Structure formats: C-alpha cells, structure tokens
Amino acid sequence: MKTECIGDYVKLKGKIYPCTVSLTMDLMGGKWKAVILYHLKDEPKRYNELRKEMPSVTEMTLSLQLKQLEKDGLVSRKVYGKKPPIKVVYGLTDFGKTFVPVLEAITAWGNQVVMEKGEFVAAEQL
C-alpha cells in the first residue's frame, strides 16, 4: 500500500485533507509560496531583498504569503533590534529546507520546458 493511502484522510495541525497531495498543495499552493521559498533556499533575506528579486509581487501579497509560510512552519522571521529601524530577516526553517529538493525539481522542469517550448526574455523586451 502506498504511504499516502494508509488512511482515508490525513491530518496536520488540526486540519483534515483528503490526501497528501492536497496537504502539500495547501502548504505550497498559489502563485508565490514556492517562489518565495526558492529565493530563501540559499540564504536568509530581508523583506526588501525579496521584493527586489520578485518585482511583480505586490507588497501586500508578499507580506501575507510570508506570514502564512511562517505560520505553517516553513519560514522563520527573526527580528533584530528593539526600536526602529529594526532589521527583520526571513529564512527557511529545518522543515522548510526539506522542500528544497522539490523546489530544485520544479526549477529543473521549468527550465526544460522553456528550453524546449519557450524562451527566456529580458525585462526590457517586454
């Protein structure tokens, strides 16, 4: 029997899912979560560094997604200093680091698709 089929449902932090794929997509789904994790996979970054690396994400979306990733235990938020200007750094938790092989597989597949069926385009060409 496949691991994901051991029970009728799976449960994580009180939330019930029909299968492990559903659980994974809840944690990683959406347009930005995997992208944020990708940009944090090599080193922790400040909010503004993430914004520069993802110019098409809105500040509100980035903020909300970081909060959700932190709540789900994939990203840590460390605050340095007690009075403004404080320094806030985001990084992957040990749990978040377990997703890095999946990110690398997604990246490799995306690169392959572009090489075979698309093209890389510079921002000034848009």
Side-chain angles (χ1 to χ4, degrees):
M1 179 181 290
K2 295 179 181 179
T3 302
E4 62 272 16
C5 299
I6 290 173
D8 294 328
Y9 299 94
V10 294
K11 184 176 180 179
L12 179 69
K13 295 183 179 179
K15 196 166 180 182
I16 303 291
Y17 300 93
C19 63
T20 56
V21 174
S22 178
L23 176 148
T24 302
M25 292 312 296
D26 186 42
L27 293 174
M28 294 303 132
K31 185 174 179 179
W32 294 107
K33 285 183 181 179
V35 177
I36 292 166
L37 294 174
Y38 171 82
H39 286 284
L40 293 174
K41 77 180 178 67
D42 294 323
E43 62 183 345
K45 296 192 173 147
R46 296 181 75 170
Y47 179 87
N48 282 336
E49 291 176 292
L50 289 169
R51 282 279 297 137
K52 287 177 187 172
E53 292 180 6
M54 297 180 289
S56 57
V57 67
T58 66
E59 287 190 33
M60 182 176 172
T61 298
L62 179 58
S63 179
L64 289 171
Q65 295 298 290
L66 283 166
K67 284 178 185 172
Q68 187 64 53
L69 288 165
E70 183 183 8
K71 179 182 169 215
D72 290 337
L74 294 154
V75 168
S76 66
R77 179 180 184 268
K78 293 186 180 169
V79 179
Y80 300 92
K82 295 188 185 208
K83 52 186 172 178
I86 59 172
K87 179 179 175 180
V88 179
V89 177
Y90 295 92
L92 295 184
T93 62
D94 288 341
F95 179 49
K97 289 175 185 173
T98 66
F99 193 68
V100 170
V102 179
L103 287 171
E104 290 171 347
I106 290 168
T107 303
W109 186 78
N111 288 342
Q112 179 184 337
V113 169
V114 171
M115 297 297 280
E116 293 175 6
K117 301 177 183 278
E119 62 182 306
F120 290 96
V121 181
E124 56 272 2
Q125 292 176 297
L126 297 177

